Amino acid sequence: MKFTHLIEINAANNPLIAPLSREQLWRGLVVRAERPTLFVMGLDSCEITQRSDYALSRILSFGQLKVRDEVRFEPLERVHYHVPKQDDIPVSDLTMTVEEPQPGALFVRFEYDDHQRDVEGDETAFYNEFRREAYKEADIDTIRMIRQLAAEGRLDAPLQ
């Protein structure tokens, strides 16, 4: 299943929503990769096993379930999460792309790909629709947490 959706970050027509700078948004997306327990419900811990300027390797612990993944950064542009096939976990990818069609008009495009053929029967269609809605809600929560971190001033300084 491939699934894509877009979340508007700065709504010019809604003065109640504090705008974020591209840098704040980017820092928030990086914090999501480095400290995912703030963002992912049910995630007990995250161990970063390898780090470079543009990538992380991690082990995510959901109780007894351990998931290895890799995160790649294209600064101020894109974060790509890749889960390689492991045990009963199939390969999957998530890409978060910052889009700015005009200055200050920020969006994040979320793209999911589980590398499965889109063969849909009634049960599969129901399950995939449930996953799409869960992904949307998780992504809305991600942006909500980034806004909270920004409001607390935690995204104003460069990441260490």
Side-chain angles (χ1 to χ4, degrees):
M1 177 187 82
K2 291 185 180 185
F3 173 62
T4 299
H5 73 102
L6 195 65
I7 295 180
E8 184 175 20
I9 305 303
N10 293 337
N13 59 348
N14 188 345
L16 299 176
I17 296 177
L20 297 177
S21 70
R22 188 180 190 105
E23 291 76 14
Q24 287 174 310
L25 176 58
W26 176 253
R27 289 178 191 128
L29 293 174
V30 172
V31 169
R32 184 191 185 279
E34 292 182 340
R35 299 189 52 212
T37 54
L38 293 173
F39 295 84
V40 180
M41 185 172 286
L43 177 61
D44 297 317
S45 66
C46 172
E47 176 188 354
I48 296 175
T49 58
Q50 218 172 3
R51 178 189 299 267
S52 71
D53 289 343
Y54 301 105
L56 299 174
S57 293
R58 313 178 306 173
I59 299 173
L60 306 172
S61 297
F62 299 88
Q64 296 298 316
L65 177 65
K66 307 287 187 212
V67 179
R68 289 180 297 104
D69 75 355
E70 299 151 4
V71 185
R72 301 225 179 275
F73 303 103
E74 294 176 39
L76 296 170
E77 298 291 331
R78 183 173 295 107
V79 180
H80 178 249
Y81 294 81
H82 175 72
V83 177
K85 172 135 181 52
Q86 49 203 289
D87 300 325
D88 293 333
I89 300 169
V91 64
S92 65
D93 290 282
L94 165 59
T95 304
M96 299 176 187
T97 304
V98 177
E99 298 182 7
E100 191 171 9
Q102 55 188 336
L106 292 173
F107 296 81
V108 177
R109 182 173 304 278
F110 295 85
E111 298 174 85
Y112 293 86
D113 188 354
D114 67 3
H115 302 276
Q116 302 297 309
R117 288 183 30 231
D118 285 337
V119 177
E120 299 219 1
D122 288 342
E123 187 176 320
T124 303
F126 174 79
Y127 176 67
N128 283 342
E129 184 57 31
F130 179 81
R131 286 197 312 168
R132 286 181 194 101
E133 289 305 313
Y135 289 155
K136 278 187 199 175
E137 290 303 315
D139 298 337
I140 289 168
D141 286 344
T142 288
I143 299 305
R144 186 177 298 123
M145 177 56 75
I146 289 172
R147 287 189 180 290
Q148 180 181 331
L149 293 171
E152 294 169 358
R154 296 168 62 184
L155 301 178
D156 293 334
L159 297 168
Q160 300 300 326

